[in-house]
C-alpha cells in the first residue's frame, strides 16, 4: 500500500488541484493535511479577517472531502514538525504541495525537503497551483524576471496553460491519523462586520455569477466605485478556493473586451508573484529605491491616524478607508487612491500603509499587497514613479454623482453632486452643518513637498 500526504497551503480547493490529483494517481490512500502554521501566526499575518475567511475555507474543504469519503486533517504548530509527525503516523511515502514565492514559503520548502529526505520520504512541489503561469516560466533574455508589466504580459499571454482538472470523485483517507477540530469563524474575534463568506463553494458560486452577469461590462465599469462592478474574487484567489488556471480558461471562453481586461488583471497577479519569487526582499525593502526620507514625528502620526480612520477631509479617500474597515476589502480604484494619498500627498512610508492593509484585507497577500504599494509609492515596478493621483479629480471621474462617498461617508449624504467631493468649499452655516474635517493638507502643498523630496522641483 502506497500513501501520500497532500499539504494544503494557499490552495484550499478540490477542483483543479494538481498536488491532490498527483497524490491520488500515485497512491492507494492520501492524507489531506492543513497545518495552522505557528510561524505565520507569530509574524502577525493571521489577522482576524483572514482567520475568519480561512475558517470558512477549511470547513468547506472538510465538507467536500467528507462527501467523497475522506476528511481534512488539521494540525497546529511548526509546519515541518507537523508534516513529519503525520508522515510517521501514516507511514507515508511522499508529500505533495503547491509552490510558493515568498521568502517564508521558500524557506519552508527547503526545511521540509531536508527533513523529509532524512526520513526517506519524497517531496513533490507543484507549479501553476497558486498562479496561472509559474514564476520562472516567463523570463527575459538577460534577467531572472520581468521588471515591467507590459513585456511580461505579452509573453504571459503566449503561454500554453495546462487544462483544468476535475475534482476527484473519491478520496480515501487512512484511519489512525489524528486531527484537531476544524476552526470556526464564530470563534474569531475582531472580524469586520461586512466580511464576505469564504470557501470553495462560495467562490465557485461567485465565479459562475460573475461570468454570467458581470464580466461582459468589466472593461467599461471596473473603475466605477459606486457600481461595484469588479469580480470580488480576489479573496478566493488568495486562499486558493478558486484556481487561476481555471479562471483564465473560463474567462477566455466567455470572450469579449471585458474578459480580456479581466484576464489582464490575473496576469498582473502572476507578474507580482514572479517579481517576489526573484526578489523576496521586496516584501519589505524598496524594489527600486528613490532614497526617500519619509515623514515622521507627531504631525505625520496624526496624518496617518486620520488616513486610517477615514477622516482626511478628502471624501473619496475616506470612503475607501471606511469600506476597508467595514468589509475587509476595498475597491481596486480605492486602493490606488488611498495608497497614492498616503505615500505621495502625505509623503508617508509605503510600509506603513502596507502593514495597515494587511491588518484588515481578507485578500492581503505578500506579493500583491506589498508590490502594489511599492508600485503606487514609486519604489516598485511603475515606469512613472512620480505620478500622483489627485483625489478630487479621481473622485469626480470615478464617482461622478458621489454615490460611493455617500454610502461610506454618511455625514456628507446631504451634499449635492457638485460639492460632495469638495465639502471644504462650503461657507458659513452651510459648512458648519456637516461634521466632517477640513483637509489634513492642501493638495498643492502635498504635491510640492513630494516633488521637493524626490528632487523634481
Amino acid at each position: 500500500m502506497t500513501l501520500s500526504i497532500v499539504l494544503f497551503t494557499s490552495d484550499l480547493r478540490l477542483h483543479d488541484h494538481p498536488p491532490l490529483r498527483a497524490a491520488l494517481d500515485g497512491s492507494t490512500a492520501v492524507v489531506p493535511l492543513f497545518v495552522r502554521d505557528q510561524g505565520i501566526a507569530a509574524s502577525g499575518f493571521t489577522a482576524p479577517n483572514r482567520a475568519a475567511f480561512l475558517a470558512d475555507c477549511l470547513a468547506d474543504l472538510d465538507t467536500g472531502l467528507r462527501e467523497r469519503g475522506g476528511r481534512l486533517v488539521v494540525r497546529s504548530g511548526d509546519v515541518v514538525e507537523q508534516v513529519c509527525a503525520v508522515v510517521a503516523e501514516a507511514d507515508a511515502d511522499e508529500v505533495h504541495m503547491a509552490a510558493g514565492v515568498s521568502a517564508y514559503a521558500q524557506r519552508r520548502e527547503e526545511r521540509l525537503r531536508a527533513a523529509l529526505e532524512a526520513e526517506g520520504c519524497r517531496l513533490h512541489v507543484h507549479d501553476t497551483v497558486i498562479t496561472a503561469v509559474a514564476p520562472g516560466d516567463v523570463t527575459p533574455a538577460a534577467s531572472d524576471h520581468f521588471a515591467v508589466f507590459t513585456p511580461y504580459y505579452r509573453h504571459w499571454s503566449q503561454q500554453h496553460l495546462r487544462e483544468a482538472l476535475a475534482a476527484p470523485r473519491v478520496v480515501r483517507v487512512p484511519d489512525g491519523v489524528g486531527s484537531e477540530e476544524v476552526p470556526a469563524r464564530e470563534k474569531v474575534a475582531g472580524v469586520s462586520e461586512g466580511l464576505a463568506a469564504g470557501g470553495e463553494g462560495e467562490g465557485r458560486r461567485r465565479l459562475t455569477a460573475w461570468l454570467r452577469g458581470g464580466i461582459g461590462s468589466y472593461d467599461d465599469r471596473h473603475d466605477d466605485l459606486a457600481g461595484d462592478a469588479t469580480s470580488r474574487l480576489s479573496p478566493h484567489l488568495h486562499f486558493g478556493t478558486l484556481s487561476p488556471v481555471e479562471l483564465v480558461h473560463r474567462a477566455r471562453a466567455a470572450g469579449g473586451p471585458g474578459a480580456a481586461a479581466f484576464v489582464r488583471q490575473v496576469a498582473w497577479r502572476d507578474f507580482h508573484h514572479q517579481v517576489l519569487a526573484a526578489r523576496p526582499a521586496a516584501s519589505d525593502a524598496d524594489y527600486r529605491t528613490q532614497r526617500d526620507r519619509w515623514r515622521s514625528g507627531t504631525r505625520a502620526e496624526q496624518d496617518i491616524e486620520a488616513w486610517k480612520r477615514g477622516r482626511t477631509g478628502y471624501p473619496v479617500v475616506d470612503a475607501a478607508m471606511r469600506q476597508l474597515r467595514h468589509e475587509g476589502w476595498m475597491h481596486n480604484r480605492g486602493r490606488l487612491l488611498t495608497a497614492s494619498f498616503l505615500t505621495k500627498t502625505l509623503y508617508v512610508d509605503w510600509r506603513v500603509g502596507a502593514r495597515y492593509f494587511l491588518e484588515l484585507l481578507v485578500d492581503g497577500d505578500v506579493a500583491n499587497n506589498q508590490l502594489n504599494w511599492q508600485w503606487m509609492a514609486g519604489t516598485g515596478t511603475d515606469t512613472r514613479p512620480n505620478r500622483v493621483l489627485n483625489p478630487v479629480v479621481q473622485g469626480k471621474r470615478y464617482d461622478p454623482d458621489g454615490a460611493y462617498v455617500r454610502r461610506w461617508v454618511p455625514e456628507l449624504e446631504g451634499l449635492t453632486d457638485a460639492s460632495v467631493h469638495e465639502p471644504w468649499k462650503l461657507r458659513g452655516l452651510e459648512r458648519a452643518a456637516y461634521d466632517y474635517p477640513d483637509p489634513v493638507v492642501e493638495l498643492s502643498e502635498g504635491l510640492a513637498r513630494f516633488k521637493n523630496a524626490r528632487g523634481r522641483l
Side-chain angles (χ1 to χ4, degrees):
M1 175 177 175
T2 58
L3 191 144
S4 295
I5 294 170
V6 179
L7 177 62
F8 287 86
T9 55
S10 298
D11 49 349
L12 304 178
R13 63 181 184 268
L14 297 177
H15 290 80
D16 192 38
H17 199 286
L20 180 59
R21 171 59 65 85
L24 291 170
D25 287 347
S27 306
T28 53
V30 301
V31 178
L33 172 66
F34 181 84
V35 179
R36 302 174 72 179
D37 190 346
Q38 67 181 19
I40 293 177
S43 72
F45 191 78
T46 310
N49 286 337
R50 290 193 296 281
F53 199 92
L54 171 64
D56 288 350
C57 295
L58 294 176
D60 187 85
L61 181 59
D62 182 56
T63 296
L65 287 165
R66 290 181 184 278
E67 289 172 350
R68 292 162 172 82
R71 62 190 172 96
L72 180 65
V73 173
V74 178
R75 298 289 181 91
S76 295
D78 177 76
V79 171
V80 175
E81 292 178 1
Q82 291 302 317
V83 171
C84 288
V86 175
V87 166
E89 291 175 32
D91 194 20
D93 303 285
E94 54 190 27
V95 175
H96 293 262
M97 68 180 296
V101 300
S102 69
Y104 184 85
Q106 292 180 37
R107 289 194 300 270
R108 178 181 62 194
E109 180 185 323
E110 292 169 1
R111 290 176 55 230
L112 184 57
R113 188 180 300 279
L116 291 175
E117 284 179 356
E119 299 295 327
C121 185
R122 296 179 299 275
L123 175 66
H124 301 278
V125 179
H126 299 260
D127 288 324
T128 66
V129 182
I130 294 171
T131 58
V133 173
D137 284 357
V138 180
T139 56
S143 179
D144 57 356
H145 73 290
F146 276 96
V148 178
F149 175 72
T150 300
Y152 172 82
Y153 180 59
R154 280 199 303 270
H155 287 79
W156 184 94
S157 299
Q158 296 167 4
Q159 296 299 301
H160 174 74
L161 299 188
R162 63 172 178 78
E163 293 301 314
L165 305 170
R169 294 183 178 180
V170 177
V171 179
R172 295 184 179 88
V173 178
D175 297 328
V177 179
S179 175
E180 299 171 5
E181 184 179 351
V182 176
R185 171 191 280 236
E186 55 268 23
K187 294 183 179 180
V188 181
V191 177
S192 291
E193 182 181 345
L195 183 70
E200 183 178 14
E202 177 65 18
R204 297 190 73 79
R205 283 190 291 273
R206 282 185 176 270
L207 174 58
T208 298
W210 168 247
L211 293 172
R212 288 176 178 171
I215 198 169
S217 60
Y218 181 75
D219 190 36
D220 296 325
R221 299 189 60 217
H222 67 275
D223 278 322
D224 179 359
L225 285 162
D228 198 14
T230 63
S231 71
R232 286 186 174 252
L233 296 177
S234 56
H236 294 281
L237 282 169
H238 172 63
F239 284 92
T241 55
L242 288 177
S243 155
V245 169
E246 182 184 3
L247 202 57
V248 172
H249 279 309
R250 293 183 66 177
R252 285 175 172 168
F262 180 69
V263 168
R264 184 180 176 89
Q265 294 304 309
V266 179
W268 264 107
R269 180 176 180 272
D270 278 10
F271 172 72
H272 285 144
H273 277 76
Q274 62 96 37
V275 171
L276 191 66
R279 300 290 183 271
S283 64
D284 193 58
D286 289 349
Y287 178 77
R288 289 175 175 151
T289 183
Q290 302 295 331
R291 296 179 174 82
D292 288 295
R293 300 181 65 180
W294 303 105
R295 291 173 64 222
S296 60
T298 301
R299 180 59 189 274
E301 291 298 327
Q302 291 172 345
D303 288 348
I304 293 166
E305 187 61 25
W307 176 81
K308 289 180 178 180
R309 293 176 55 220
R311 297 282 290 177
T312 68
Y314 289 97
V316 73
V317 171
D318 294 342
M321 295 303 294
R322 295 186 196 189
Q323 180 183 27
L324 172 62
R325 293 179 68 179
H326 180 79
E327 295 188 352
W329 186 88
M330 187 194 293
H331 191 286
N332 181 60
R333 177 54 53 175
R335 299 187 197 206
L336 296 174
L337 287 171
T338 55
S340 174
F341 188 81
L342 183 72
T343 59
K344 290 176 174 173
T345 303
L346 297 181
Y347 197 54
V348 168
D349 193 334
W350 64 267
R351 283 160 279 247
V352 173
R355 281 194 296 270
Y356 185 67
F357 269 34
L358 285 179
E359 290 176 13
L360 290 170
L361 279 176
V362 64
D363 59 13
D365 177 298
V366 172
N368 291 290
N369 185 67
Q370 309 302 88
L371 290 172
N372 271 318
W373 267 96
Q374 291 225 47
W375 190 90
M376 202 63 253
T379 63
T381 62
D382 189 4
T383 55
R384 293 171 53 198
N386 296 307
R387 79 174 79 204
V388 179
L389 301 182
N390 183 308
V392 176
V393 172
Q394 294 272 308
K396 291 179 178 179
R397 180 179 300 164
Y398 299 117
D399 186 31
D401 61 2
Y404 180 74
V405 165
R406 292 188 186 90
R407 181 182 308 159
W408 295 109
V409 190
E411 58 264 43
L412 299 180
E413 63 183 0
L415 289 179
T416 65
D417 295 355
S419 58
V420 72
H421 291 294
E422 300 175 288
W424 59 87
K425 289 187 175 181
L426 299 174
R427 294 290 179 263
L429 293 176
E430 189 177 16
R431 175 68 183 91
Y434 294 95
D435 178 23
Y436 185 72
D438 286 331
V440 293
V441 64
E442 293 285 345
L443 294 179
S444 58
E445 177 188 339
L447 182 60
R449 178 174 57 199
F450 173 70
K451 287 184 174 181
N452 182 63
R454 288 277 172 96
R456 306 295 292 182
L457 285 181

